Amino acid sequence: MVTESYDYEKIGRTMMYYGTSFVQEANFPFNFYLLDLPESLSGRACYDLVKLWMSNMPKGYWPNWVVGNHDNPRIASAVSRKYVNVINMLLLTLPGTPTSYYGEEIGMENIAVSEDQIQDPFGKFDPSENRDPFRSPMQWDSSPNAGFSEANKTWLPVHPEYQTCNVMMQRNDSSSPLALYRTLTALRESELPLHRGWVCLVWSDADIFAYVRELDGLSTAFLIVLNLGNGSITDLTGVVPELPREASVRVSTLSGSMKTMSLAAIKTETGEGLVLEYHTREPIHEVSRFRENCFVSEKACYFSALGILYKNC
């Protein structure tokens, strides 16, 4: 069960909805803090918002992440289309449960709504508070009403560019936001460290937010590098010498990416994200200087001889 709490100023109140070791309230309260990311988009701001939740969440509980909802501008309109893929990569590579607002997987944008079209009760009272621009019909295909309805008119108008931004257009386009979203979802489902392992926040600056996903008992680990600022070349081996010199590129938000990458010179463009795979016998969460930046939820370990996860480890 999930609860909805808007105690933004006092995160401790939000965490109370997890309950206690004696009484469970909900599986988790919605984490809306990443909705603030467009207001100060940067690697460091993203690091701060992720750590805010993970460091305040009761030990052993399950996190969750929300990057868009019906009360806030769509990502493509709030910060531009070039950040849609990297923010979806963030959502789908953090530990816990990701929550996507419909249309964010294809990069839908806000619509223009005239006063006579307003449906939002808040908007009818004060048009400046209208939330309808974020609530347009899902863009399924290029048919009338974007394939959302066969009616003569929809509750709210569809986006005027729905014929070029819709599910059908993106389904067979390997470079589309939808293709990336599906690739990341499949990777998340197939790789244990991405949905049951540790997260270690290893680097942030004005442009870059980087973190490691790893699992006890498994040598495979993932380094996630997200560029939320300007083009950058980052040397993570200087900051984290336990990392290998090179890693394999499993997923990139940009097409034509290299198959391997030097971790001493990770080159990323604005809005680019990378999922890098490597193998190690030195887990980052066991390094003392990173202990305050490493978090695990519902801890489990991998037993390679039987290929199973087990608790109490």
Side-chain angles (χ1 to χ4, degrees):
M1 182 178 72
V2 59
T3 58
E4 187 169 339
S5 168
Y6 280 89
D7 294 307
Y8 280 129
E9 301 302 320
K10 296 183 179 180
I11 191 171
R13 291 183 178 179
T14 300
M15 295 301 169
M16 290 174 65
Y17 288 92
Y18 274 110
T20 68
S21 57
F22 301 103
V23 179
Q24 182 175 3
E25 294 290 341
N27 294 102
F28 52 78
F30 265 132
N31 173 4
F32 292 128
Y33 288 90
L34 282 179
L35 293 173
D36 294 336
L37 185 58
E39 296 178 9
S40 55
L41 189 66
S42 70
R44 186 160 289 118
C46 192
Y47 164 91
D48 289 340
L49 291 171
V50 171
K51 187 170 183 179
L52 177 68
W53 189 269
M54 297 304 295
S55 61
N56 283 279
M57 185 181 70
K59 185 178 179 180
Y61 282 76
W62 193 251
N64 75 104
W65 313 93
V66 179
V67 296
N69 70 2
H70 63 289
D71 291 330
N72 291 272
R74 292 189 173 278
I75 295 169
S77 296
V79 293
S80 105
R81 289 187 63 84
K82 63 185 175 183
Y83 291 106
V84 168
N85 286 340
V86 72
I87 291 178
N88 278 333
M89 181 174 279
L90 168 72
L91 177 70
L92 294 171
T93 56
L94 286 172
T97 299
T99 300
S100 289
Y101 184 47
Y102 77 93
E104 297 293 11
E105 71 274 31
I106 63 171
M108 282 177 58
E109 298 181 80
N110 296 348
I111 60 168
V113 179
S114 60
E115 286 197 32
D116 64 322
Q117 293 174 315
I118 293 176
Q119 303 293 343
D120 179 15
F122 287 118
K124 289 182 177 181
F125 179 76
D126 181 357
S128 68
E129 297 295 323
N130 183 33
R131 298 166 295 178
D132 287 337
F134 333 137
R135 302 174 175 183
S136 59
M138 179 64 186
Q139 295 159 204
W140 292 106
D141 56 39
S142 57
S143 66
N145 297 327
F148 180 81
S149 171
E150 295 180 354
N152 293 328
K153 183 181 179 181
T154 52
W155 180 252
L156 289 168
V158 298
H159 195 281
E161 297 181 5
Y162 77 89
Q163 292 183 323
T164 57
C165 178
N166 61 64
V167 173
M168 287 299 294
M169 288 287 291
Q170 294 190 16
R171 282 180 67 178
N172 299 316
D173 180 359
S174 61
S175 64
S176 69
L178 179 60
L180 177 74
Y181 194 96
R182 296 174 73 176
T183 296
L184 288 168
T185 300
L187 184 70
R188 179 187 183 88
E189 291 177 352
S190 64
E191 297 292 351
L192 287 173
L194 291 177
H195 65 265
R196 282 304 299 271
W198 290 80
V199 61
C200 292
L201 315 181
V202 297
W203 180 253
S204 70
D205 58 27
D207 304 311
I208 301 297
F209 175 38
Y211 49 96
V212 166
R213 301 300 315 278
E214 55 191 21
L215 180 71
D216 289 287
L218 196 62
S219 64
T220 300
F222 294 91
L223 171 65
I224 319 299
V225 182
L226 308 176
N227 188 315
L228 298 164
N230 299 311
S232 176
I233 297 177
T234 307
D235 177 8
L236 287 182
T237 60
V239 181
V240 193
E242 291 79 10
L243 289 172
R245 300 297 298 177
E246 287 188 340
S248 301
V249 179
R250 284 294 300 269
V251 183
S252 171
T253 60
L254 299 182
S255 59
S257 179
M258 296 180 292
K259 292 184 179 180
T260 61
M261 183 167 290
S262 168
L263 301 190
I266 305 172
K267 183 178 181 181
T268 53
E269 303 298 331
T270 297
E272 183 176 2
L274 296 167
V275 178
L276 305 174
E277 180 181 344
Y278 64 94
H279 297 272
T280 183
R281 294 181 180 274
E282 298 181 88
I284 303 300
H285 70 269
E286 294 182 359
V287 178
S288 59
R289 67 182 182 283
F290 285 109
R291 281 178 185 161
E292 292 186 359
N293 275 5
C294 290
F295 310 92
V296 68
S297 310
E298 297 187 8
K299 185 179 178 182
C301 300
Y302 183 71
F303 185 34
S304 59
L306 296 178
I308 61 171
L309 282 176
Y310 63 98
K311 294 183 178 180
N312 303 319
C313 55

